[in-house]
Amino acid sequence: MRFFITGGAGYIGSHVVLMLLDAGHEVVVLDNLSTGHRQAVPPEARFILGDLSNTALVDDILSDGPWDGIMHFAARSLVAESMREPFMYLRQNVEPALSLIELAVRHKVPAFVFSSTAALFSNIDNSIISENSPVAPCSPYGESKLMVERALYWADRVHGLRSACLRYFNAAGADPKGRAGEDHQPETHLIPLAIQTVLGKRPSLDLFGNDYPTPDGSCIRDYVHVTDLARAHLAAVGAIGQRSVTYNIGNGKGYSNLQVVQSIERVSGRRMNWRWAPRRAGDPAVLVASSALLQRETGWKSAFHDLDTIVETALAWAEKYPDGYASVSLKKDAASA
Ligand SMILES: NC(=O)c1ccc[n+]([C@@H]2O[C@H](COP(=O)([O-])OP(=O)(O)OC[C@H]3O[C@@H](n4cnc5c(N)ncnc54)[C@H](O)[C@@H]3O)[C@@H](O)[C@H]2O)c1
Ligand SMILES: O=c1ccn([C@@H]2O[C@H](COP(=O)(O)OP(=O)(O)O[C@H]3O[C@H](CO)[C@H](O)[C@H](O)[C@H]3O)[C@@H](O)[C@H]2O)c(=O)[nH]1
């Protein structure tokens, strides 16, 4: 099969690219490298440096069909940043996505897979979140993803574009073979920051908020291994067929921010300095997924069930590449692309 991947040089996109290539598929990646890394895209994939908002470029790429699907990862994706820059988030996450959806319709692409998010939910009653739970984003980031989900709904109703909206809960971990990992500059995610702290690359870690309605007062998140997440993309393409689908993707188990610190200390065998800090704007207290629908309809099951096994892979990658992708050399044939 042949896929067009936006944001394939990013954390989740690069793991999906690896999985598609491993399965023998053909992949074309468009990425502006704003938060991604050229080294994250293997030479077996075609890499195009460019911005999604360049509609002429995207039109040109899609003209070179036929395609079996588009996977759209490229976005701004930081909850806290979106609370400071709401219009930038709404504009940059929604406008290029609308153009891409229109082009997918025009070029008759049979499947559109969209990176949606748990940030669609406020979850005020701290329940397990299913696809039928009420959506109520706590941040402009979550709102921007909801807008794109709605655009995809209308693209299906009016034009028959079939899509999969995959609502990832918290992606974590690294490729078990060590070929890709998480490297954001600057890093804002809890697990990589805590790993950098335990490895002595940061003096200490702030945990945002100890007054949430949870057992230890810190937020609870559902961490799903990035390779399990990648597998869900292949499963979703298989499920699309004659209809559009929406799936929540997590492990169904929540870990508090404090438990994340404890897991990293346990797995690494080292202690880290951390302290409580004020709440971070835009954070719901508890986000835990029910992925029962995805499991029932596609047979998907996570291979990494508990946080320690997820953390092990993230720690292994961080130890192998202490400066992230800056420590990874660009393969010779990729450098010329
Ligand atoms: N990381 C998570 O836990 C998580 C959870 C839920 C949803 N998501 C969503 O999954 C997707 C991937 O997240 P990630 O963590 O891999 O992020 P990331 O920042 O690592 O990857 C995004 C990639 O898109 C590229 N990009 C951004 N804007 C672009 C543009 N205008 N044109 C071309 N390329 C562009 C970046 O350079 C980067 O390579 C995002 O849409 C994000 O909102 C992530
Ligand atoms: O230094 C830090 C960083 C984070 N946190 C806390 O750790 C938890 C997880 O935060 P992350 O920044 O690691 O992840 P988010 O839950 O904010 O967001 C991630 O998962 C979401 C879905 O749940 C989104 O889609 C988003 O793109 C993705 O970055 C939050 O309570 C946050 O406040 C800290 O306490 N200290």
Side-chain angles (χ1 to χ4, degrees):
M1 292 170 94
R2 197 158 172 264
F3 292 95
F4 174 50
I5 315 275
T6 76
Y11 171 46
I12 301 171
S14 61
H15 286 81
V16 175
V17 166
L18 281 171
M19 190 161 286
L20 290 170
L21 292 171
D22 286 349
H25 301 305
E26 194 183 326
V27 168
V28 176
V29 169
L30 174 72
D31 201 298
N32 65 4
L33 299 183
S34 53
T35 58
H37 306 270
R38 181 63 188 89
Q39 300 94 311
V41 183
E44 294 77 21
R46 181 172 167 220
F47 178 80
I48 299 168
L49 177 63
D51 199 287
L52 188 61
S53 62
N54 184 345
T55 311
L57 171 65
V58 179
D59 193 14
D60 204 38
I61 296 168
L62 288 176
S63 301
D64 180 24
W67 299 94
D68 294 290
I70 293 177
M71 296 192 187
H72 176 40
F73 297 93
R76 293 199 161 260
S77 62
L78 303 179
V79 170
E81 186 182 51
S82 81
M83 296 298 283
R84 297 190 293 272
E85 302 275 0
F87 303 117
M88 187 257 275
Y89 261 72
L90 294 170
R91 192 172 295 116
Q92 293 196 11
N93 281 356
V94 179
E95 281 181 7
L98 290 182
S99 303
L100 183 64
I101 292 167
E102 276 190 278
L103 287 170
V105 169
R106 196 180 315 153
H107 290 280
K108 299 187 172 30
V109 179
F112 190 107
V113 181
F114 172 57
S115 299
S116 190
T117 172
L120 251 50
F121 304 99
S122 296
N123 197 29
I124 44 175
D125 59 358
N126 290 357
S127 55
I128 303 286
I129 300 169
S130 79
E131 290 75 7
N132 297 323
S133 299
V135 287
C138 268
S139 62
Y141 164 68
E143 193 74 49
S144 72
K145 293 287 183 173
L146 182 56
M147 287 178 171
V148 177
E149 282 203 5
R150 296 304 300 162
L152 285 167
Y153 168 79
W154 288 108
D156 187 351
R157 278 221 21 203
V158 177
H159 295 293
L161 175 68
R162 305 293 186 234
S163 62
C165 291
L166 304 185
R167 296 164 171 175
Y168 318 150
F169 281 58
N170 287 53
D175 175 49
K177 293 184 183 157
R179 299 170 296 175
E182 183 166 15
D183 176 6
H184 293 114
Q185 303 290 342
E187 191 53 79
T188 62
H189 294 95
L190 180 59
I191 289 183
L193 282 176
I195 286 178
Q196 289 172 12
T197 310
V198 93
L199 294 179
K201 295 180 73 78
R202 286 174 186 270
S204 84
L205 175 76
D206 284 346
L207 289 187
F208 300 137
N210 62 356
D211 56 353
Y212 286 96
T214 60
D216 65 27
S218 64
C219 287
I220 290 178
R221 294 288 180 271
D222 180 346
Y223 292 91
V224 55
H225 194 277
V226 66
T227 302
D228 283 330
L229 206 48
R231 223 162 9 83
H233 289 71
L234 274 77
V237 169
I240 287 176
Q242 292 308 305
R243 70 201 171 104
S244 292
V245 293
T246 297
Y247 296 126
N248 291 356
I249 313 179
N251 261 308
K253 193 169 170 192
Y255 293 90
S256 73
N257 296 343
L258 188 56
Q259 286 175 316
V260 169
V261 166
Q262 290 163 348
S263 164
I264 290 169
E265 289 187 333
R266 194 164 46 242
V267 172
S268 65
R270 304 181 201 187
R271 304 299 298 266
M272 75 179 91
N273 289 326
W274 66 270
R275 61 182 179 198
W276 292 117
R279 285 184 179 201
R280 192 177 70 175
D283 279 344
V286 179
L287 294 174
V288 179
S290 162
S291 298
L293 187 65
L294 175 68
Q295 289 175 26
R296 202 165 55 241
E297 293 193 349
T298 72
W300 177 88
K301 264 180 117 168
S302 64
F304 294 83
H305 312 289
D306 69 83
L307 190 57
D308 285 10
T309 59
I310 294 174
V311 161
E312 268 169 31
T313 63
L315 187 64
W317 196 77
E319 284 178 323
K320 185 173 174 193
Y321 299 112
D323 295 319
Y325 282 103
S327 346
V328 180
S329 59
L330 200 55
K331 300 253 171 35
K332 230 179 163 191
D333 31 356
S336 59

